[in-house]
Amino acid sequence: MITLSKANRLSAKSSIIFLVEKPEGLEKTLFNKEELNYIEKEFRKKKTQVVINRFSKIVLVQFPGKKVEAFMMKENLRKDASKAVKAVNGFGAEKIVFSSKLDKKELTLAFIEGMMLAGYQFLKYFGDKKKKENSLKEIVVHDRSVSGEDILELENIVKGVVLARNLINEPLSFLTANQLAEEIKSAGKEAGFKVEVFEKKRIESLKMGGLLAVNRGSMDPPTFSVLEYKPKNARNKKPYVLVGKGIVFDTGGLSLKPTAGSMDAMKSDMSGAAAVAGAVYSIAKNKLPVYVIGLVPATDNRPGQNAYAPQDVIKMYDGTTVEVLNTDAEGRMILADALGYAKQYKPELTIDLATLTGAAAVAVGRNATVAMGTASKKVFSDLTKSGENVYERLVIFPSWEEYGEQLKSSVADLKNIGGREAGAITAGKFLEHFTDYPWIHLDIAGPAYIDSDDAYRTKGGTGVGVRLLYDFLKKA
Ligand code: BES
Ligand code: ZN
Ligand code: ZN
């Protein structure tokens, strides 16, 4: 990760990025006449970024661009920041000074955030990492409005996103359910939250039938991780419970995914778990005064010899019986047990995150998360605002009763698929059955994993959900 530090003085020697309202705000002494003319000309053409290559160093001037809503201004800056990082890496600089002249520190921080997130790389499996590494390693922030604490907070948020991205990008050959639990444990040690991992025996004695059913086709045991961050100064008595789908690989099981291509991204089927781990990490690292519980049921979904089969009837943790009609609808099976387990906490609010349905990804694509649930209008509106603020936007789908009718089974309390229509919603309705508290379901199947870079969202795991949950719980 790019390191951040603060400096009180501008060194004229290093490469530099200026963030200014307009050209007049620049220190004239740091530029020659031609450069200033060029910058002004570009500014008048409405360019937001001007790059000056001085051979020994790169100088980049960034303008906030046209006045739009505050959250859009921030997002435009994050995106421009990713371009700036590309330019710096293209030039080969290791260190840059970043000097902001803006009085709105949110904008300055958004630009730094964009640079940090754009600098992410997953190089673990390359033989020659050095050759692949970006040149930019260090950003020195020279700014009056941004404090040392602001920088630390931002750094800890980005670390949470990096944790999530790394977990998602790890293939099953490394990240089994056990390994996921180990990674969560070490994140807990580093950030200061408790982690208890239930192993198979405990999961059996708890009768988590959904998690055990999905695990039956696997060679590797399941895990159920309980994360707890409970600071003394917590504002809330009842915890916020975060539940993350931890399918470390989804083959579909016996209802095998139909084409080889449809499995190409399925190491990412634990992106919900990664978001929960990343968010709790950032919250604990920054010591937010909020009591949070994380629940992560984890297994791979495989068609092994003893795999659960279509038409099986499974008794879930809460006693509900489920007729399995498609073993590829496994996420809801493991989440149902976690949501049932959450009841004992009498949560203030439970949010689950899951790459739950292809239908959600088809409906809203990579730029939005499908949200639905039983929480109040106010909670939905606060989460939606956080979504805009961090640019992980939500589309709210209905939770109308009628959709639940598609889940009626002729042999059990529920069946695990709803049919051709409204697949994302019926999946959500299935989950709702296991809740008795205010609840929001986030289907992140679209934005969790992308097959090409998208500005500061790097190819592969995006870490969607981490910044959203952090922003929401900071304000909760
Ligand atoms: N993990 C998948 C959903 C998914 C698909 C996530 C594509 C990301 C990209 C999930 O377990 C699944 O297979 N869902 C099925 C449900 C169906 C059988 C009711 C789906 O969406 O096809
Ligand atoms: Zn599946
Ligand atoms: Zn899945």
Side-chain angles (χ1 to χ4, degrees), residues 250 257 328-330:
D250 186 9
K257 287 193 179 290
D328 197 11
E330 84 298 337

Side-chain angles (χ1 to χ4, degrees), residues 308-320:
Y308 80 137
Q311 296 194 303
D312 276 355
V313 175
I314 307 297
K315 193 166 199 171
M316 313 297 273
Y317 173 79
D318 78 343
T320 302

Side-chain angles (χ1 to χ4, degrees), residues 245 250 269 330 355:
K245 171 176 173 182
D250 186 9
D269 213 17
E330 84 298 337
T355 46

